[in-house]
Tab-separated table of all heavy atoms in Angstrom:
chain	number	residue	atom	x	y	z
A	5	ILE	N	31.261	-28.116	-74.953
A	5	ILE	CA	30.140	-28.066	-75.909
A	5	ILE	C	29.288	-26.822	-75.671
A	5	ILE	O	28.902	-26.115	-76.608
A	5	ILE	CB	29.286	-29.339	-75.790
A	5	ILE	CG1	30.114	-30.567	-76.155
A	5	ILE	CG2	28.048	-29.248	-76.675
A	5	ILE	CD1	29.387	-31.880	-75.959
A	14	ILE	N	26.234	-16.464	-80.937
A	14	ILE	CA	26.507	-15.030	-80.907
A	14	ILE	C	27.114	-14.556	-82.221
A	14	ILE	O	26.876	-13.429	-82.668
A	14	ILE	CB	27.432	-14.694	-79.711
A	14	ILE	CG1	26.692	-14.979	-78.392
A	14	ILE	CG2	27.891	-13.253	-79.758
A	14	ILE	CD1	27.560	-14.829	-77.158
A	17	LYS	N	25.287	-14.262	-87.866
A	17	LYS	CA	24.771	-12.949	-88.272
A	17	LYS	C	23.264	-12.978	-88.525
A	17	LYS	O	22.553	-12.024	-88.203
A	17	LYS	CB	25.510	-12.467	-89.517
A	17	LYS	CG	26.990	-12.211	-89.295
A	17	LYS	CD	27.666	-11.710	-90.555
A	17	LYS	CE	29.148	-11.452	-90.321
A	17	LYS	NZ	29.846	-10.986	-91.553
A	54	VAL	N	-19.961	31.938	-78.188
A	54	VAL	CA	-21.394	32.164	-78.016
A	54	VAL	C	-21.657	33.672	-78.035
A	54	VAL	O	-20.894	34.453	-77.450
A	54	VAL	CB	-21.906	31.528	-76.702
A	54	VAL	CG1	-21.212	32.119	-75.489
A	54	VAL	CG2	-23.419	31.700	-76.582
A	66	PHE	N	-30.694	27.537	-71.770
A	66	PHE	CA	-29.513	27.243	-72.582
A	66	PHE	C	-28.250	27.798	-71.945
A	66	PHE	O	-27.202	27.154	-71.955
A	66	PHE	CB	-29.690	27.816	-73.984
A	66	PHE	CG	-28.512	27.550	-74.884
A	66	PHE	CD1	-28.279	26.276	-75.375
A	66	PHE	CD2	-27.610	28.564	-75.215
A	66	PHE	CE1	-27.185	26.011	-76.189
A	66	PHE	CE2	-26.516	28.301	-76.019
A	66	PHE	CZ	-26.310	27.028	-76.507
A	69	VAL	N	-27.155	25.416	-69.231
A	69	VAL	CA	-26.565	24.189	-69.772
A	69	VAL	C	-25.164	24.452	-70.306
A	69	VAL	O	-24.229	23.673	-70.085
A	69	VAL	CB	-27.471	23.614	-70.876
A	69	VAL	CG1	-26.771	22.463	-71.600
A	69	VAL	CG2	-28.786	23.140	-70.294
A	93	ASP	N	-17.177	36.103	-85.790
A	93	ASP	CA	-16.790	35.758	-87.168
A	93	ASP	C	-15.286	35.886	-87.361
A	93	ASP	O	-14.652	35.060	-88.029
A	93	ASP	CB	-17.529	36.669	-88.157
A	93	ASP	CG	-18.994	36.313	-88.279
A	93	ASP	OD1	-19.319	35.122	-88.160
A	93	ASP	OD2	-19.822	37.223	-88.504
A	104	TYR	N	-19.425	29.001	-83.571
A	104	TYR	CA	-20.044	29.796	-82.514
A	104	TYR	C	-21.560	29.615	-82.577
A	104	TYR	O	-22.122	29.211	-83.585
A	104	TYR	CB	-19.655	31.274	-82.604
A	104	TYR	CG	-20.126	32.009	-83.829
A	104	TYR	CD1	-21.416	32.580	-83.878
A	104	TYR	CD2	-19.296	32.188	-84.921
A	104	TYR	CE1	-21.848	33.271	-85.009
A	104	TYR	CE2	-19.718	32.871	-86.041
A	104	TYR	CZ	-20.996	33.414	-86.078
A	104	TYR	OH	-21.429	34.105	-87.190
A	107	ILE	N	-28.519	32.619	-80.584
A	107	ILE	CA	-29.915	32.282	-80.339
A	107	ILE	C	-30.794	33.050	-81.322
A	107	ILE	O	-30.712	34.287	-81.407
A	107	ILE	CB	-30.326	32.615	-78.890
A	107	ILE	CG1	-29.383	31.921	-77.895
A	107	ILE	CG2	-31.773	32.185	-78.639
A	107	ILE	CD1	-29.409	30.427	-77.947
A	152	LEU	N	-39.152	19.760	-61.909
A	152	LEU	CA	-38.059	19.126	-62.653
A	152	LEU	C	-36.727	19.725	-62.215
A	152	LEU	O	-36.614	20.942	-62.063
A	152	LEU	CB	-38.234	19.333	-64.159
A	152	LEU	CG	-39.342	18.532	-64.848
A	152	LEU	CD1	-39.465	18.969	-66.299
A	152	LEU	CD2	-39.096	17.059	-64.756
A	168	SER	N	-12.993	-0.347	-63.429
A	168	SER	CA	-12.029	-1.290	-63.978
A	168	SER	C	-12.036	-2.552	-63.131
A	168	SER	O	-12.061	-2.494	-61.897
A	168	SER	CB	-10.621	-0.673	-63.983
A	168	SER	OG	-9.670	-1.614	-64.401
A	183	ALA	N	2.227	-9.711	-78.294
A	183	ALA	CA	2.338	-10.546	-79.489
A	183	ALA	C	3.761	-10.497	-80.047
A	183	ALA	O	4.270	-11.502	-80.563
A	183	ALA	CB	1.335	-10.088	-80.545
A	191	TYR	N	10.687	-17.368	-82.418
A	191	TYR	CA	11.927	-17.296	-83.194
A	191	TYR	C	13.063	-18.064	-82.536
A	191	TYR	O	14.122	-18.274	-83.144
A	191	TYR	CB	12.339	-15.838	-83.399
A	191	TYR	CG	11.717	-15.186	-84.610
A	191	TYR	CD1	11.880	-13.831	-84.865
A	191	TYR	CD2	10.955	-15.929	-85.500
A	191	TYR	CE1	11.303	-13.240	-85.979
A	191	TYR	CE2	10.370	-15.345	-86.608
A	191	TYR	CZ	10.544	-14.000	-86.835
A	191	TYR	OH	9.972	-13.420	-87.944
A	193	GLY	N	12.970	-20.946	-82.300
A	193	GLY	CA	13.052	-22.116	-83.152
A	193	GLY	C	14.273	-22.096	-84.059
A	193	GLY	O	14.778	-23.158	-84.456
A	210	LEU	N	30.019	-30.472	-90.095
A	210	LEU	CA	30.164	-30.342	-88.649
A	210	LEU	C	29.340	-31.410	-87.930
A	210	LEU	O	29.794	-32.000	-86.941
A	210	LEU	CB	29.714	-28.941	-88.212
A	210	LEU	CG	29.744	-28.664	-86.699
A	210	LEU	CD1	31.145	-28.822	-86.153
A	210	LEU	CD2	29.202	-27.258	-86.404
A	211	GLY	N	28.145	-31.662	-88.450
A	211	GLY	CA	27.319	-32.708	-87.862
A	211	GLY	C	27.967	-34.072	-87.965
A	211	GLY	O	27.891	-34.886	-87.037
A	234	THR	N	19.917	-20.648	-73.660
A	234	THR	CA	20.555	-19.582	-72.881
A	234	THR	C	20.695	-18.320	-73.716
A	234	THR	O	20.366	-17.213	-73.254
A	234	THR	CB	21.928	-20.036	-72.379
A	234	THR	OG1	21.784	-21.207	-71.575
A	234	THR	CG2	22.592	-18.943	-71.567
A	264	LEU	N	9.762	-15.620	-65.900
A	264	LEU	CA	9.348	-17.022	-66.009
A	264	LEU	C	8.601	-17.273	-67.317
A	264	LEU	O	8.812	-18.311	-67.973
A	264	LEU	CB	8.455	-17.394	-64.822
A	264	LEU	CG	7.849	-18.810	-64.843
A	264	LEU	CD1	8.950	-19.857	-64.812
A	264	LEU	CD2	6.888	-18.996	-63.676
A	273	GLY	N	9.941	-22.235	-77.936
A	273	GLY	CA	10.509	-21.845	-79.222
A	273	GLY	C	11.616	-22.779	-79.672
A	273	GLY	O	11.656	-23.204	-80.831
A	309	MET	N	-0.853	-8.471	-85.950
A	309	MET	CA	-1.095	-7.668	-87.147
A	309	MET	C	-2.433	-6.935	-87.092
A	309	MET	O	-2.547	-5.814	-87.593
A	309	MET	CB	-1.062	-8.544	-88.406
A	309	MET	CG	0.305	-9.113	-88.727
A	309	MET	SD	0.697	-10.555	-87.700
A	309	MET	CE	2.166	-11.153	-88.519
A	328	ASN	N	-2.535	-22.619	-80.352
A	328	ASN	CA	-1.645	-21.628	-80.953
A	328	ASN	C	-0.587	-21.229	-79.930
A	328	ASN	O	-0.903	-20.566	-78.940
A	328	ASN	CB	-2.452	-20.403	-81.393
A	328	ASN	CG	-1.585	-19.347	-82.071
A	328	ASN	OD1	-0.364	-19.445	-82.100
A	328	ASN	ND2	-2.221	-18.338	-82.612
A	354	ALA	N	1.113	-24.047	-68.251
A	354	ALA	CA	1.019	-25.507	-68.348
A	354	ALA	C	0.879	-25.950	-69.799
A	354	ALA	O	1.520	-26.927	-70.228
A	354	ALA	CB	-0.165	-26.000	-67.518
Side-chain angles (χ1 to χ4, degrees):
I5 297 175
I14 295 174
K17 295 181 180 179
V54 60
F66 180 73
V69 171
D93 287 327
Y104 65 85
I107 305 297
L152 287 174
S168 175
Y191 273 173
L210 177 60
T234 301
L264 176 62
M309 293 79 170
N328 182 352

